[in-house]
Amino acid sequence: MDTFALKIIAINKVFYEGNAKQLIFSAVDGLVGIMAHHEDAVIAVNVGEVKIQTAEDRWVIAISGAGHIQIDRNHVVMMVDTVEYPEEIDEQRALEAKERAEEQLRREQSLYEYAISKACLIRAIERLKIKKKYSAR
């Protein structure tokens, strides 16, 4: 199977840089898979699970925040606000963030504040889901 160059960048770090066989991530219209020689595109990334099949057939699992992916001539760059391994997720902290966001959503807010609270809730729920899914292994 062919490979493509992949770089995943978060605000505070380069999470992954190397060749990959597949990249699977959550986009605004559902799960998207990228393989070698994918057509050039720019795709919005949603908060969710990211799976990378490395050139060595090892799977790297992570959770990413929102951002975008640029595909250009077999080079893929994913730029997101956050990205972390399941084992890096502090379950208690994520649970507290979920509760805070739920409390904020129960209050009267401006549209902007509502959007922020909803995004925080989605991120916390996704982090808890990934932590639970991969801590059982």
Side-chain angles (χ1 to χ4, degrees):
M1 184 184 285
D2 285 346
T3 63
F4 59 93
L6 173 62
K7 188 171 190 177
I8 299 178
I9 305 167
I11 290 172
N12 62 341
K13 64 185 171 186
V14 174
F15 177 80
Y16 182 88
E17 187 168 13
N19 289 329
K21 291 183 177 180
Q22 290 186 70
L23 172 65
I24 302 167
F25 64 96
S26 180
V28 288
D29 54 352
L31 288 178
V32 173
I34 296 174
M35 297 175 75
H37 310 293
H38 191 287
E39 78 175 328
D40 294 352
V42 175
I43 304 168
V45 176
N46 270 355
V47 174
E49 185 175 7
V50 175
K51 294 181 180 181
I52 306 161
Q53 184 181 13
T54 68
E56 298 78 29
D57 281 327
R58 186 175 60 89
W59 284 93
V60 176
I61 308 296
I63 182 167
S64 81
H68 74 276
I69 283 186
Q70 179 178 352
I71 307 165
D72 183 28
R73 294 176 294 202
N74 221 31
H75 287 79
V76 178
V77 177
M78 175 187 250
M79 296 180 69
V80 290
D81 54 5
T82 62
V83 64
E84 60 191 325
Y85 294 105
E87 58 269 17
E88 293 176 329
I89 297 170
D90 181 334
E91 190 171 6
Q92 184 60 39
R93 187 169 158 236
L95 188 56
E96 290 168 2
K98 177 181 175 284
E99 291 168 356
R100 275 193 311 275
E102 288 171 337
E103 177 61 32
Q104 289 295 323
L105 287 170
R106 285 191 283 273
R107 296 182 181 162
E108 189 172 324
Q109 304 179 62
S110 69
L111 289 175
Y112 176 76
E113 292 167 328
Y114 176 81
I116 297 284
S117 297
K118 189 173 178 182
C120 289
L121 178 61
I122 290 168
R123 182 172 184 265
I125 289 170
E126 287 296 317
R127 292 179 82 229
L128 289 166
K129 186 169 50 172
I130 296 299
K131 180 70 173 181
K132 182 177 180 181
K133 181 176 179 179
Y134 290 102
S135 66
R137 292 182 175 193

